[in-house]
Amino acid sequence: MASVVAKTSRRQPKTRLRGARGARDAREPRVRLDVDERRAQLVELGLTHFGERAYDDVSIDAIADAAGISKGLLYHYFPTKRAYYAATVKEAASRLVASTDTDDSAPPLERLHAGLDAYLGYVKAHAKAYATLMRSGVGVDPEIARIVDETRATFIDRLTSGFGQGLMPALDSPIARLALRGWVGFAEAASLGWVESIAEGLPAPSQREVRELLASTLMEIVRSTAASLLPSTPT
């Protein structure tokens, strides 16, 4: 491409070259969007680019080019690459939370299964982006960590909602919060291993089997934690 441009510039006066460029620009006008539309467009592009490659490999120039804007204008919406990445992670988290919403009137076990099914379905549908986030060193960034932690907390609250009034005080205890945090780590690692096995064509359990595994381990954690907080009976 560069050599073609060089030959053209030698054959034609600069005025002709500018005219040709102007005609090309006229054929391909930039689309003017309002602030919210442009920001939404950039976040959507960020979800694609950051979901396909590691953070350090993502080119802001390439994203700006895809959006049909200058890199300077992109930085008008997001002051740094890290801030841009945080915005895409926040949007992905919002979509995950929305996709795992369940019927408040459904029985607790049904809600648990529905929430886990929705979660696993989302992970499977966005396997590459999910793996990129889980394996990215940028996850230690305070802003990214805050978004991820808030999403985890919302997900846990949703899954354990309605487990019974007798268990709720136990679930609010420090030991229960620690145990549930550990379960989230297990769920993320298990779901990541599951979608990576599928992507590599390796033997993998069904979504139903993974759901049952996650549901049974969560229920066991809740039961054992609640039992450990019961007053001990003198012998």
Side-chain angles (χ1 to χ4, degrees), residues 51-205:
E52 291 177 347
R53 54 188 66 85
Y55 174 85
D56 290 336
D57 296 332
V58 171
S59 168
I60 293 297
D61 291 287
I63 295 176
D65 186 60
I69 61 175
S70 67
K71 183 167 69 172
L73 182 56
L74 188 151
Y75 282 130
H76 170 75
Y77 290 92
F78 307 99
T80 64
K81 182 179 179 180
R82 191 64 61 94
Y84 183 33
Y85 179 65
T88 65
V89 172
K90 185 175 182 179
E91 176 61 22
S94 296
R95 294 183 185 186
L96 173 59
V97 169
S99 72
T100 57
D101 194 13
T102 55
D103 182 2
D104 291 343
S105 63
L109 189 58
E110 184 178 320
R111 293 184 63 189
L112 172 60
H113 284 176
L116 287 173
D117 261 334
Y119 166 72
L120 292 171
Y122 185 92
V123 169
K124 187 176 182 180
H126 304 85
K128 192 168 184 179
Y130 185 79
T132 299
L133 175 62
M134 290 295 103
R135 303 231 183 263
S136 175
V138 185
V140 300
D141 178 87
E143 177 65 10
I144 304 301
R146 182 188 63 78
I147 295 170
V148 173
D149 284 345
E150 288 177 355
T151 305
R152 287 167 173 162
T154 301
F155 189 52
I156 281 292
D157 288 344
R158 183 169 290 170
L159 291 180
T160 57
S161 176
F163 270 16
Q165 292 301 316
L167 290 179
M168 297 318 293
L171 293 177
D172 287 334
S173 67
I175 188 64
R177 289 195 295 270
L178 183 62
L180 292 173
R181 185 185 181 112
W183 178 85
V184 169
F186 166 72
E188 290 175 347
S191 57
L192 179 59
W194 174 57
V195 294
E196 287 184 336
S197 294
I198 294 174
E200 295 170 9
L202 300 175

